[in-house]
Structures are given as C-alpha cells and as structure tokens.
Amino acid sequence: MAVLFLLFLLTVSVVSADEDGFIGVNIGTALSDMPSPTQVVALLKAQNIRHVRLYDADRALLLALANTGIRVTVSVPNDQILGIGQSNATAANWVARNVIAHVPATNITAIAIGSEILTTIPNAAPVLVSALKFIHSALVASNLDGQIKVSTPHSSSIILDSFPPSQAFFNRSWDPVMVPLLKFLQSTGSYFMLNAYPYYDYMQSNGVIPLDYALFRPLPPDKEAVDANTLLHYTNVFDAIVDAAYFAMSYLNFTNVPIFVTESGWPSKGDSSEPDATLENANTYNSNLIRHVLNNTGTPKHPKIAVSTYIYELYNEDLRPGALSEKNWGLFDADGMPVYTLHLTGAGTVLANDTTNQTFCVAKEGADPKMLQAALDWACGPGKVDCSYLLQGQPCYEPDNVVAHSTYAFNAYFQKMAKSPGTCDFKGVATITTTDPSHGSCIFPGSAGRNGTLPNTTSLAPSSNSTTSGCHSVYIYGAGSFTTSVIIGVLLMSVFFL
C-alpha cells in the first residue's frame, strides 16, 4: 500500500483548464408532443443555456440554432457507427450533410460518435476508433478540426473497482479499443466523454452510499469518503466517479486528457421500487450539480479544473421505454413548463429564469387554418374575449392572418381564465409556451408590459356593423387576410367547445 501511495503522490497532473466549466443540456426527442425547433430554441434562450448536446444531427433543429451562438454537440447515432467506422467516404458524407451544411451559422463545436458503444453495442467496438478517425479526417479536409472536437461518450460502468478512485481501471477486455482511443483524444486535443449517474451508483449500493453523499449535500468530516491511497477526501459521488475515470486513464499512462461529463441528472418520479426518484431530490441534485460545476470547484484529484457537464435532460420523454423513472429526467415538460424550480441562488444565470408564471397560449405550429378560425370565433364570441385589439387600425391587427389573430385571442382567454388547466387547448390547435408572443406595440395579456391584465378597450368604438346585446364579433379570413368583422345573432352562433 505504501508503494501505491507514493506512486499516486508522484503522478504529475498535467490536465489543464483552458476555460471555465459550463452547464449544458441534452435534448432527447422521445416525446409524444415534441416542441417545434423554434420553441426549443426559445426555451434555451429564455434559460440562458449556451451549450446543448443532440442525440443526432436533426436538420430542422440545427437550422433553428443558427445565429444564436449556442454551442452544439451533434451525434452520430449508434445505428450508423458500423457504416461510418468501415468507410471513410460514408464518414465524409455524414460530415458534409450534418456539419459542413450548417457551419458557421450554427456553432457546432463537437461530434459525439454514438453513445456508450462499448456497453450497448459491443459488436461495433472494433470499428469505434476508426469511426472517430474517419470523422476527424473529414473535418481536417474542411479545415474544421480546430473548431470541432470528436469523441465518444462512455458509461461509467466500463470503470472497474471505482472506489477508492485511485484503484480504478478500465475493464481490461476493452484495452484494444481504449488505448488507441485515448491516443486519438490526446493527439487531437479532444476530451474523454463520460456519462456519470450518482443516482444509479446510489441505487445499486444497497444502502452503502448515503443519499446525502449522492446529492452533494454537506457531510460531516467523519462521514466523508477518504481514498486511503491518496488521502483525498470525497464529499460527493459525482467527484468520485470523475476522478475514477482520471485514475483509470492514468493507469494506461494518459494524464492529459480532460473529462467532459456528457450526461448526469436525477429522475423526478419513479415507481415503488425507486422511492428516491422525487421532485425534491431531482431539484437538489441538479441545483447542487450546476453550482458545483459553475464554481469551477473541480475534483479532489484536479481541484479548480472545471468539469463541464451536460444535464440529462431538457425535456421529460414520455415515450421512452422502461421504468417510470426513465420518462422523468427532464427539467421541463413539453410545454416549456419547469418540472421544478431549481435552487440556483449564487450559481449564475444559466437555468435560473423561473418561467413558472411566464406562460402564454399560442396557436400550434402547422394547425389547420379552418380549425384556428373556428377556435378564434369561439374565443371572441362565447369565450367572451375582448378582441378589439384585432380590429383594423388597432395595435394587434398586424400581422393580418388567422395564426396571429388566433394566438392573441387564445392567450387572452388563457390569461383571463387564470391559466387554468385545459384552457389552452382549443381542440388541439393551441399550445402553451414560455416565449412572450408580444411584438411591437401589440403587448399580449400576461406580458410584463401589461402586468398580466387584459386590455382596457372601452374607448374603442364598435364596428359600424355591430349591434348591441347578445352578439359577438367573428373574425373571418380569406386567403390569409383579414376580411371583415361580422356580427351574428345568438341564434346563429355555432358553439366551439374547448
């Protein structure tokens, strides 16, 4: 043991920090009501999220991310690894289609080759390093290798004997892959991508790992885990996982490859077998993780060396198979509403915008214009929304189309009904957003510019066609333009139910 102790004390740490740590998010797509790319980007902007990782290279989302400055990691899906790893031409075509076509407008900074290949599709392991090299060669040919790094995310389960961290090593059966992989990462200035889940370590420890230790909660000194070989103190599981990876690389004589954590998080809901998958624990873990990373705390092995981390994940994915917890790792629901409000005092601005009360009801992208027209008629009629602001010459008349006008009416009803559940549906043509739809002088109800009140339109004269009691305005559009405001009597009114 004394020999080991001296060995690790003499190990020279040459991992260096070339920038502060950042918090990013993973964006999954297994949602029954996936937000549109523009809605996804609006949420990223509202939450000041500047780093995202995609599990593919979705063209529509990459286009929506253009000119935002958001740093994007795109991914080669697992089912494409075999083809790319066996053909330089296939790799070059993938880069041309999914990277070159989008830069520099979209700020692509990394390509993740698959996800957890060694543990999920081990038959692709023999071509994994070739896939990285072929993709990198295509970047070199386009002079993009300085801007875009290439790596592959690993499950922390490839690390054996992970505590104490100083004794950790990679599963030796993967040495034929891991050694050339680390040489590639070292030679290209890339980083080791690691998926670190203290939740699973805690769940699988059979009570050995305290919950507080997994959640970054403060521990009394006598409860901290101490690595007997290095005398390093570990106050949380996350740091122990990361340092285990550093030591495992050191075991193979690689000491200058930095680590990026490509996935980490905590589920907010689980079934009876997962009692610690709760809103409070998810909030505690992610809030503490964000603070830990942004404070550039580093790890006991590499203090002050930031461990940039992507939270898993932006949205709850209701279509993800498996246990209930698998569907509930998201920070937000599909409608942009936060699953919980993170406790981020003193942790910077990323994800610190509480959008709980900043919600609006808008027309759903691609909705049938006839359905929108019927819903608009209902809102301005039986729904008793004051649609005077939509009349010609009024602030919200432009743009003069059914989408814009129905959005105003839907939102006015939604705000009037105090955002009650079910009041933003309109037979499926409306959706909730956290993006304020106000524009120019048209300030929507609920906007900070209106303090959440409906417009006072008592000074607006009625239309020349209008009658008095029992009648409502119906806004009719022909070929996408506002035609007229027609008044129909109660007996002729068609009722459109929410």
Side-chain angles (χ1 to χ4, degrees), residues 271-285:
D271 57 30
S272 58
S273 67
E274 297 180 279
D276 294 301
T278 66
L279 283 172
E280 181 56 34
N281 287 343
N283 194 341
T284 298
Y285 179 81

Side-chain angles (χ1 to χ4, degrees), residues 331-367:
L331 300 173
F332 295 87
D333 286 319
D335 60 10
M337 289 289 285
V339 177
Y340 45 84
T341 302
L342 291 160
H343 306 315
L344 294 179
T345 303
T349 59
V350 64
L351 285 163
N353 184 10
D354 178 7
T355 57
T356 304
N357 295 313
Q358 300 171 27
T359 52
F360 304 86
C361 184
V362 299
K364 189 176 289 186
E365 235 177 71

